[in-house]
Amino acid sequence: MRPLAPGSGAVPTRRALVVDDSLVARMALTRVLEREGWSVEGVERAEEMWAVLPDAAWQVVFVDVSLPDARGLDHLRALVGSRAAAARPFDIVALTRDGIERAVAREAGIGRALRKPF
């Protein structure tokens, strides 16, 4: 869905991407965001994230620190680098399990985090 034209009087769609291999975590966060008026897409692997990231105007990407196909500092730094190069920058929120993952997210340049389980 595309944001509405300026001056149309309608509120543009806020888009969020939730990247987490846990179906329960994706569903829980999606429900919260949708209740707040967000349009949400969820994927479970980094490969899927990279496929959809350039295709839409995301306002925020919620990303698990440890995915089956990518994890840790390199994974998060790649996403931060992608944000810096994006035509439309987006916020990143790390989805963490503990203080160690929170520290990894901070080191990668991600200042916001949600502790799992939500």
Side-chain angles (χ1 to χ4, degrees):
M1 178 181 280
R2 295 192 187 282
L4 300 170
S8 68
V11 177
T13 302
R14 297 180 299 166
R15 302 218 47 218
L17 177 61
V18 177
V19 186
D20 198 306
D21 57 311
S22 164
L23 176 61
V24 172
R26 280 195 322 273
M27 288 175 59
L29 186 52
T30 295
R31 285 183 183 140
V32 169
L33 292 167
E34 287 177 343
R35 277 195 304 262
E36 294 298 318
W38 288 81
S39 172
V40 182
E41 183 170 339
V43 297
E44 64 180 288
R45 302 177 67 82
E47 175 184 13
E48 294 169 299
M49 174 187 72
W50 292 117
V52 300
L53 199 56
D55 294 337
W58 306 106
Q59 278 73 40
V60 63
V61 174
F62 294 87
V63 62
D64 191 352
V65 172
S66 297
L67 295 166
D69 60 340
R71 65 183 42 90
L73 193 56
D74 291 340
H75 157 57
L76 298 178
R77 280 186 174 157
L79 183 57
V80 170
S82 174
R83 172 183 62 187
R88 295 183 70 169
F90 49 87
D91 289 327
I92 301 172
V93 177
L95 304 176
T96 64
R97 288 170 186 78
D98 53 35
I100 293 170
E101 287 189 348
R102 178 68 181 107
V104 168
R106 268 193 231 111
E107 186 176 345
I110 300 171
R112 299 160 112 186
L114 286 176
R115 189 82 170 257
K116 292 169 51 172
F118 309 119

